[in-house]
Amino acid sequence: MRTVVSAGRARPALPCAVGENRLMFVIRERFFSIGDDFDVLDEHGTKLFHVDGKVLSVRNKVVIEDASGHEVATLHRHLVALRPTYEIRIGGEKAAEVRKNLLTPFRDKFTIDVPGPDDLQMKGDLLDHEYVIERDGTEVAAVSKRWLTIRDTYAVQVTAGVDPLLIIGSVLALDLAMNRDKKKGDED
């Protein structure tokens, strides 16, 4: 069995499902607009994680639990920041901050700032869930609605060896930030 190192601790990786080098996760689109809970599934419909979206809280806190109900990760919005910033904690330790880049003409871009030099970039059509996550120009995850026929869902493919909780947390942080920006635009 492979091992994933996250926030300094090793833990067993989820079984690889999409080929030998990719895992696929299915997430329901726009759950933040309703604020309800949902499950993250594999491509066969098996529940891998439960997401408790406490989006009505001041900090937009989200709790990710494993299939047996144990908290494995959280993310929350920083209240004081120049740009949308969300902190991801895995196993109780800070794993990353997801931030919107300030100067991105034409398209939004987000950085996943992990401890050390291995930051990730989210690039593509973020609003329509058609984008990739790269580390040093190499794709480590991809997000798309085109892979699924299920309405209001999108898939996240994660390269083996990359922590799926980091990627899922980052994708959810992006959804929170984009939904927040959309709400601000609707109020203007």
Side-chain angles (χ1 to χ4, degrees):
M1 175 170 275
R2 294 181 342 267
T3 301
V4 173
V5 176
S6 171
R9 289 190 289 186
R11 61 183 166 75
L14 295 170
C16 199
V18 180
E20 267 311 299
N21 63 348
R22 291 276 190 160
L23 297 169
M24 183 179 283
F25 303 90
V26 178
I27 299 174
R28 194 173 84 218
E29 181 183 12
R30 305 274 188 245
F31 81 95
F32 291 114
S33 62
I34 300 168
D36 58 354
D37 301 350
F38 70 97
D39 295 326
V40 175
L41 312 172
D42 68 11
E43 77 276 12
H44 304 293
T46 304
K47 175 182 169 180
L48 299 175
F49 300 108
H50 176 75
V51 178
D52 182 0
K54 301 176 185 307
V55 297
L56 300 178
S57 70
V58 173
R59 297 181 77 177
N60 290 135
K61 184 174 181 179
V62 174
V63 175
I64 302 173
E65 300 170 344
D66 63 17
S68 59
H70 297 99
E71 181 178 302
V72 292
T74 61
L75 62 122
H76 69 272
R77 181 175 60 88
H78 283 259
L79 294 177
V80 180
L82 294 174
R83 53 194 164 180
T85 303
Y86 291 83
E87 181 177 300
I88 300 170
R89 297 184 78 76
I90 299 174
E93 296 181 31
K94 183 175 177 178
E97 284 187 355
V98 178
R99 287 191 289 277
K100 184 175 183 178
N101 296 2
L102 286 177
L103 300 173
T104 52
F106 311 120
R107 287 198 188 257
D108 288 326
K109 288 185 183 176
F110 282 74
T111 296
I112 304 166
D113 182 7
V114 298
D118 293 329
D119 292 348
L120 303 163
Q121 297 288 320
M122 300 170 118
K123 298 178 180 178
D125 189 347
L126 304 178
L127 189 59
D128 286 329
H129 296 95
E130 297 293 337
Y131 59 93
V132 296
I133 300 174
E134 297 177 343
R135 176 181 287 132
D136 294 327
T138 301
E139 183 180 310
V140 298
V143 177
S144 181
K145 292 192 302 189
R146 288 186 229 150
W147 298 327
L148 302 172
T149 58
I150 305 165
R151 189 173 158 228
D152 295 331
T153 59
Y154 58 94
V156 179
Q157 284 190 352
V158 181
T159 300
V162 176
D163 188 345
L165 282 173
L166 175 65
I167 299 300
I168 291 168
S170 299
V171 168
L172 297 178
L174 171 73
D175 279 356
L176 277 169
M178 298 300 274
N179 188 53
R180 188 172 175 80
D181 283 353
K182 184 178 182 279
K183 282 183 180 178
K184 281 184 180 177
D186 290 346
E187 291 172 1
D188 295 339

